Amino acid sequence: DTEVTQTPKHLVMGMTNKKSLKCEQHMGHRAMYWYKQKAKKPPELMFVYSYEKLSINESVPSRFSPECPNSSLLNLHLHALQPEDSALYLCASSPWERAGGTKNIQYFGAGTRLSVL
Amino acid sequence: GNSVTQMEGPVTLSEEAFLTINCTYTATGYPSLFWYVQYPGEGLQLLLKATKADDKGSNKGFEATYRKETTSFHLEKGSVQVSDSAVYFCALRQSLQGAQKLVFGQGTRLTINP
């Protein structure tokens, strides 16, 4: 099973709402990622979790709050978003890589398409 | 810093035509290289990869060879199908203390007409 599952597939929210995106993988991967993808652009890395701890935050605004409750789950909590935050949010995971490792790859979910009104 | 440059799209071809999408990279050392494909309304799927110089990745009739002399990883397919219509991303991988960061090109939108 090489599946990364994201829910919901679509989400519409107002600027005062609080919502959460969920991501799940059962491949035993210990690195998990959130990306944001705007239309006709490549994915942009937002956060990296390594062994359930936040290791990278690419200067993301605090209205996005990630959480990794266990090794299989990754959440992205959303609060007071702006219309420009409308995008496809992608989750990904990869095996933990020893120094010099070359064989592992990142697996992506299908994404949550978010619209902020 | 590391970067990836892809040929600008969109690219439109007729079915059974030959496809080349150019990709060049700038990086320290010899990173692993990838082609990901994104079909409409979906996430990214790994198409093929190469981890060292002169490696050839292949999948579903697509091929790409890691050329360190020209720092290139061009994607090719001999005979495209309508179902190949998608956006293709070239990427390199940076290790991040056990995790990794993918550096993507801008993407090339491919449309195949019957």
Side-chain angles (χ1 to χ4, degrees), chain B residues 43-104:
Chain B
L44 274 69
Q45 301 176 24
L46 178 69
L47 181 59
L48 53 85
K49 67 171 183 166
T51 57
K52 62 182 187 295
D54 299 325
D55 265 2
K56 177 185 282 188
S58 62
N59 186 26
K60 300 181 181 179
F62 291 90
E63 293 183 341
T65 301
Y66 192 142
R67 303 282 189 201
K68 70 175 183 178
E69 304 85 4
T70 53
T71 61
S72 65
F73 193 53
H74 305 320
L75 183 67
E76 296 182 336
K77 186 174 185 181
S79 176
V80 293
Q81 305 299 313
V82 172
S83 57
D84 294 327
S85 298
V87 180
Y88 292 80
F89 292 99
C90 185
L92 64 80
R93 183 178 69 198
Q94 293 177 194
S95 291
L96 287 176
Q97 301 175 340
Q100 54 179 264
K101 179 175 182 176
L102 290 175
V103 178
F104 290 97

Side-chain angles (χ1 to χ4, degrees), chain A residues 31 33 35 37 40-43 45 48 50 58 88 90 94-97 101-106 108-110, chain B residues 32 34 36 38 41-46 49 51 89 93 95-102 104-107 109:
Chain A
Y33 312 79
Y35 289 84
Q37 187 180 22
K40 299 186 179 182
K41 295 291 186 182
L45 184 64
V48 180
S50 305
E58 296 279 70
L88 180 67
L90 294 166
S94 67
W96 192 253
E97 180 178 326
T102 60
K103 297 187 183 303
N104 75 69
I105 65 170
Q106 226 172 100
F108 285 81
Chain B
S32 294
F34 303 85
Y36 279 87
Q38 187 171 31
E42 298 186 10
L44 274 69
Q45 301 176 24
L46 178 69
K49 67 171 183 166
T51 57
F89 292 99
R93 183 178 69 198
S95 291
L96 287 176
Q97 301 175 340
Q100 54 179 264
K101 179 175 182 176
L102 290 175
F104 290 97
Q106 287 302 303
R109 182 173 299 276

